[in-house]
Amino acid sequence: MKSINKVILIGHLGAKPEGRYTQQGISTATFSLATNEVWMGADNKKHEHTEWHHIVVWNKLADFVTQYLDKGHLVYIEGSIKTRSWIDKNNEQRKVIEIMATQVVSLEKTKV
């Protein structure tokens, strides 16, 4: 049986995307994305939770996000979840869960 690793998010950028190039000259960019959830609890009070996602984009999509997106922009993202781990300089195991975006669409109104 096949499996599916697909993520769809709509949220606001936490900061301007940071672009850079690999040693091979491939463009990449990373940014944080906030998604919010609001609900009324049993105590009849409004509760809110913000989830932060680490987003990674490559090639022309990386060029697009670094050029056109900024902190606070509302965007639609499609991609997949990837887990990456490494040993840091203090010899401690580190792990990060990232969204490898294959599509990023700005949902901001364009200025005319």
Side-chain angles (χ1 to χ4, degrees):
M1 176 179 246
K2 286 186 173 183
S3 61
I4 297 173
N5 179 356
K6 184 166 186 162
V7 176
I8 296 175
L9 299 169
I10 295 177
H12 290 91
L13 270 68
K16 180 154 183 63
E18 295 181 28
R20 55 190 152 283
Y21 291 90
T22 66
Q23 290 180 348
Q24 295 78 23
I26 299 169
S27 178
T28 184
T30 58
F31 57 95
S32 58
L33 185 80
T35 55
N36 299 312
E37 182 180 9
V38 179
W39 70 95
M40 292 298 286
D43 56 2
N44 227 13
K45 292 184 181 176
K46 180 178 160 182
H47 297 272
E48 188 170 349
H49 174 74
T50 300
E51 191 71 40
W52 288 94
H53 310 275
H54 298 280
I55 311 296
V56 178
V57 292
W58 294 91
N59 300 311
K60 291 184 182 202
L61 193 53
D63 298 336
F64 166 78
V65 301
T66 54
Q67 185 173 0
Y68 295 107
L69 300 184
D70 209 344
K71 180 179 180 175
H73 278 194
L74 183 66
V75 293
Y76 167 93
I77 302 226
E78 274 188 41
S80 59
I81 297 173
K82 298 280 178 158
T83 304
R84 190 167 49 90
S85 59
W86 68 96
I87 305 292
D88 71 8
K89 62 184 176 186
N90 297 322
N91 207 28
E92 293 184 31
Q93 180 78 28
R94 297 289 180 186
K95 180 176 161 179
V96 66
I97 298 170
E98 300 170 314
I99 306 300
M100 305 301 283
T102 55
Q103 186 173 7
V104 177
V105 178
S106 175
L107 300 177
E108 294 291 320
K109 294 182 179 178
T110 57
K111 296 178 183 176
V112 179

